[in-house]
Amino acid sequence: APIMVVVQSRGSILAPDNLAALYDLTHQLAQDSRVERVESIVDLDSRITREQYQLLYADPDRVADPYAHATLAALVRGDTTLVRVVGKYPMISAESQDLVRSIRRGAPPGGFTVLVGGGSAAILDHVANRVIGVADVGDLDAAEHLLDHHLEVLTRDRCALELVDLRSFCDDVLL
């Protein structure tokens, strides 16, 4: 399942400066060794340059290419676009969850606001919510269980069953 990255710009996402920044962002994501491919309005064909995308979308109502027109209609709403990051690893893998963390920690270009979702992000967020929830309610039985099992937690979701070392989780997510 792809990682869904929602990118919001100041003004139209199709403005030349925003397209240039989006192009840079998606091509940077594509360089990550954990990424198989990136799908977005500026990743239709690897032969198309940043400047050619700016020309293609200069008048969005007159995009002649049917694929570009359909992609634009599906992925853009005003100042917002969707970017799909397809990873090389299963969504429950450590590599996929590290990729989510990496995208979330990255400094978005061009004043963009970036939100990260999808299967890997949902699993990561679910695990974070469950562990924080246990700590918040002060469940002493759970704390004893954690100590008895060397601070490892078995998390269960409809999509995942994973053993998490709580110390690593805290280092990765909470710090």
Side-chain angles (χ1 to χ4, degrees):
I3 297 169
M4 309 303 250
V5 181
V6 176
V7 178
Q8 186 176 24
S9 62
R10 294 185 193 132
S12 172
I13 194 72
L14 300 177
D17 289 345
N18 289 335
L19 282 172
L22 181 63
Y23 182 93
D24 293 342
L25 173 64
T26 63
H27 286 75
Q28 178 185 5
L29 290 171
Q31 296 301 312
D32 191 299
S33 63
R34 299 164 291 193
V35 173
E36 183 176 319
R37 71 180 180 281
V38 175
E39 301 169 352
S40 79
I41 61 170
V42 292
D43 294 283
L44 302 177
D45 185 320
S46 62
R47 299 170 293 179
I48 301 176
T49 67
R50 175 187 302 108
E51 293 76 18
Q52 290 170 322
Y53 280 114
Q54 290 171 323
L55 288 172
L56 178 65
Y57 297 128
D59 187 352
D61 296 327
R62 294 185 175 214
V63 175
D65 180 80
Y67 181 69
H69 189 294
T71 302
L72 191 64
L75 299 181
V76 173
R77 298 290 181 275
D79 63 352
T80 305
T81 189
L82 178 66
V83 175
R84 293 183 189 108
V85 179
V86 179
K88 294 179 181 177
Y89 303 96
M91 70 179 184
I92 63 171
S93 70
E95 293 87 357
S96 292
Q97 295 190 13
D98 286 343
L99 179 57
V100 168
R101 287 183 193 101
S102 176
I103 296 169
R104 285 179 171 170
R105 288 181 187 149
F112 288 161
T113 300
V114 175
L115 302 172
V116 183
S120 295
I123 291 168
L124 183 63
D125 294 343
H126 179 74
V127 170
N129 289 338
R130 289 190 67 188
V131 171
I132 291 168
V134 169
D136 286 344
V137 297
D139 183 352
L140 296 178
D141 293 334
E144 287 175 2
H145 176 77
L146 289 173
L147 291 174
D148 289 342
H149 294 281
H150 308 291
L151 296 178
E152 292 177 336
V153 182
L154 186 63
T155 63
R156 188 175 63 79
D157 190 330
R158 64 186 166 114
C159 301
L161 186 61
E162 185 174 358
L163 191 62
V164 177
D165 182 304
L166 187 61
R167 293 166 295 198
S168 296
F169 174 80
C170 291
D171 288 340
D172 292 343
V173 176
L174 300 177
L175 298 180

